[in-house]
Amino acid sequence: MSSIVLRLLGSFQVDVDGVSMTEVLGHSPKGIQLMQYLILNRGQMETTGALTRAMWPDTDAARPESALKTLISRLRTLLQQVSPALGACLKTVRGGYQWETQPGVTVDAEEFLALAEELHGRVDVENDLQACSFRKMMSLYTGRLLRNQEQPEWMKKRADELHYLYLNVVEEALQKLQDAGREQEMVGICREALDADPLNNALNMRLMDALVHTGRESEALQQYHYASELHNAADNSAAALDDYYSRMLQSGRDLQSSLDSLKQELLQGIDKPGALVCDRVVFGELFRLEQRSLERTESTITLGVAMLSGLEKSPWQLDAAMTGLINVMVSKLRRGDIVTRLNATQVAFLLPHATEADAGAVADRLKRSFYLQFPAGCSLSFAFSAVSVGNGPWRGAGSSR
């Protein structure tokens, strides 16, 4: 049996066994629109009158039913040419017509709607099955419904309904993650959602907030500038973003309260065990400080990179695994060791006074602890190199997989 995929989210596309057949149906643009109407009203019998009003809303033709029958006949012929299973989806029923998706045929809008309605109002970020459903929903929604074609009023209305449903479920997930203190996972979801709706102010501000709360202020500022440029290019008001940026820059505190706040912030972390987590810029500065402090002792600093693989197609799960890896490194490394996230799949770490042999043992210990939490679905590997501080050059490299 052939595998037939109909895509209505984003651009319209028809694939049969991975081969695009969209051009075949393109011989009847009005027929495609009729098929789309029936799909979006799946399971419902549409009367001849309803279909003629939807297809020709402004016509004064004396016999629109005749035009509809001709259109239905031509559409059914084209669908049969693409695949008999696709042709069988177009049903003639007493009083009208309807679409019934047949075995071997999948419609992204149908799958998306079923998942989104299942999740709406019941999002649970701690539930693995729901997390899988959420990831599937996100992957299906590649953009607004049929965004690259002329849209009659009924199509615009349906596009708005699906888009609002998508944004509501995404917002529920983001709020649950924020309540759980899982801002790093929010970053990945916001970025993916913004691919589908780049001008959405709420998502842009959610992303900037998550970046700020994970110590990535420079990325938050870059996102602000990027979003502002998009709004300006689209001739949209960026007032909400400008207001956010102003609040982000405005401290609103006097000198003494700033000093008291800084003192409290510094003292809060003074007794924390384990490694220090920082952003990449701070990581570089701390590395140079270690160089200067050890340059007279002929000691070594070992620099390492840990990488996760196997979850590249699951951004939410990848972010969760990366957060778990950083937590493991914080708890298992020593005070004075330094950790920073390099990118979506890699974490760098700095081990002062450690040799490459020490780093190999550290890597093994981190692997054991990590795989206790994430036993399947991803692979953790390490690469490391010792820096000879006294003599300057890199002194070698090793890896652990």
Side-chain angles (χ1 to χ4, degrees):
M1 179 184 293
S2 297
S3 174
I4 304 167
V5 178
L6 292 174
R7 295 187 175 89
L8 280 69
L9 297 171
S11 300
F12 177 71
Q13 189 171 339
V14 182
D15 293 338
V16 178
D17 293 330
V19 178
S20 176
M21 301 295 289
T22 311
E23 190 173 341
V24 175
L25 294 178
H27 295 302
S28 177
K30 184 63 76 171
I32 288 179
Q33 191 179 108
L34 174 62
M35 180 182 70
Q36 293 165 347
Y37 181 90
L38 291 170
I39 290 174
L40 294 172
N41 292 277
R42 69 200 190 291
Q44 299 180 24
M45 187 275 290
E46 295 296 322
T47 65
T48 300
L51 290 175
T52 54
R53 287 191 296 273
M55 294 302 103
W56 299 282
D58 301 321
T59 186
D60 294 325
R63 300 183 63 189
E65 294 85 359
S66 177
L68 178 63
K69 287 181 180 179
T70 301
L71 183 62
I72 288 284
S73 177
R74 187 177 186 192
L75 173 60
R76 183 172 279 124
T77 299
L78 289 174
L79 293 176
Q80 288 284 354
Q81 289 178 10
V82 173
S83 168
L86 197 58
C89 295
L90 179 56
K91 299 287 187 181
T92 302
V93 295
R94 186 172 182 177
Y97 304 90
Q98 71 180 50
W99 179 273
E100 291 182 5
T101 303
Q102 300 297 301
V105 180
T106 59
V107 182
D108 62 350
E110 289 183 351
E111 289 189 282
F112 164 80
L113 187 60
L115 290 167
E117 289 180 339
E118 171 194 337
L119 291 166
H120 186 33
R122 295 180 291 275
V123 173
D124 181 359
V125 295
E126 306 297 337
N127 184 303
D128 290 341
L129 289 176
Q130 276 215 1
C132 183
S133 295
F134 182 83
R135 291 303 328 143
K136 178 67 173 175
M137 185 205 77
M138 293 288 288
S139 67
L140 286 168
Y141 198 86
T142 56
R144 289 180 67 93
L145 179 78
L146 301 167
R147 64 185 177 191
N148 293 332
Q149 67 184 60
E150 183 179 352
Q151 295 197 339
E153 193 59 36
W154 62 264
M155 190 180 294
K156 291 178 182 177
K157 180 180 178 181
R158 194 66 175 136
D160 287 342
E161 290 172 353
L162 293 179
H163 193 64
Y164 293 148
L165 178 60
Y166 170 76
L167 292 177
N168 283 335
V169 176
V170 169
E171 173 57 26
E172 288 175 32
L174 291 173
Q175 187 59 54
K176 292 291 181 67
L177 290 170
Q178 183 180 39
D179 294 342
R182 293 159 60 178
E183 282 86 359
Q184 185 57 54
E185 295 171 60
M186 293 174 62
V187 172
I189 293 173
C190 286
R191 291 197 189 282
E192 188 172 354
L194 282 167
D195 286 340
D197 191 355
L199 295 174
N200 189 288
N201 276 339
L203 286 172
N204 275 299
M205 287 187 280
R206 274 288 198 184
L207 175 56
M208 289 188 285
D209 280 331
L211 289 170
V212 169
H213 280 90
T214 52
R216 296 151 70 179
E217 290 84 355
S218 60
E219 288 185 54
L221 183 58
Q222 289 174 3
Q223 182 63 30
Y224 162 74
H225 288 306
Y226 173 73
S228 295
E229 289 174 3
L230 284 181
H231 277 279
N232 291 334
D235 197 26
N236 280 334
S237 172
L241 289 175
D242 290 339
D243 179 62
Y244 171 84
Y245 182 52
S246 297
R247 287 187 283 109
M248 191 167 70
L249 293 180
Q250 184 179 8
S251 66
R253 297 178 300 187
D254 61 26
L255 187 61
Q256 186 59 47
S257 64
S258 295
L259 176 60
D260 292 341
S261 177
L262 176 61
K263 180 180 177 181
Q264 182 179 5
E265 180 182 335
L266 294 174
L267 290 175
Q268 280 178 345
I270 198 167
D271 292 325
K272 288 184 179 179
L276 168 69
V277 179
C278 60
D279 65 29
R280 191 166 179 175
V281 174
V282 175
F283 185 86
E285 292 301 320
L286 292 175
F287 172 78
R288 284 181 278 278
L289 284 173
E290 290 290 344
Q291 277 188 308
R292 286 196 289 269
S293 66
L294 297 177
E295 61 186 4
R296 296 181 181 180
T297 65
E298 298 292 328
S299 297
T300 59
I301 299 174
T302 294
L303 183 66
V305 175
M307 183 175 72
L308 290 180
S309 55
L311 294 176
E312 291 80 0
K313 295 183 179 180
S314 303
W316 190 0
Q317 294 178 351
L318 176 59
D319 274 334
M322 287 292 288
T323 300
L325 174 59
I326 291 174
N327 290 337
V328 166
M329 296 178 81
V330 168
S331 63
K332 297 300 180 182
L333 295 179
R334 303 169 303 177
R335 186 193 298 272
D337 296 340
I338 307 165
V339 175
T340 190
R341 182 163 179 171
L342 289 181
N343 51 48
T345 62
Q346 296 178 340
V347 177
F349 56 96
L350 188 62
L351 308 177
H353 304 288
T355 65
E356 288 181 28
D358 296 331
V362 167
D364 290 339
R365 187 168 70 248
L366 292 174
K367 280 185 177 182
R368 287 194 297 271
S369 297
F370 176 78
Y371 285 133
L372 286 175
Q373 298 183 39
F374 299 89
C378 60
S379 176
L380 175 61
S381 57
F382 290 83
F384 38 83
S385 183
V387 184
S388 179
V389 179
N391 297 322
W394 296 91
R395 197 164 65 180
S399 65
S400 173
R401 292 184 181 273

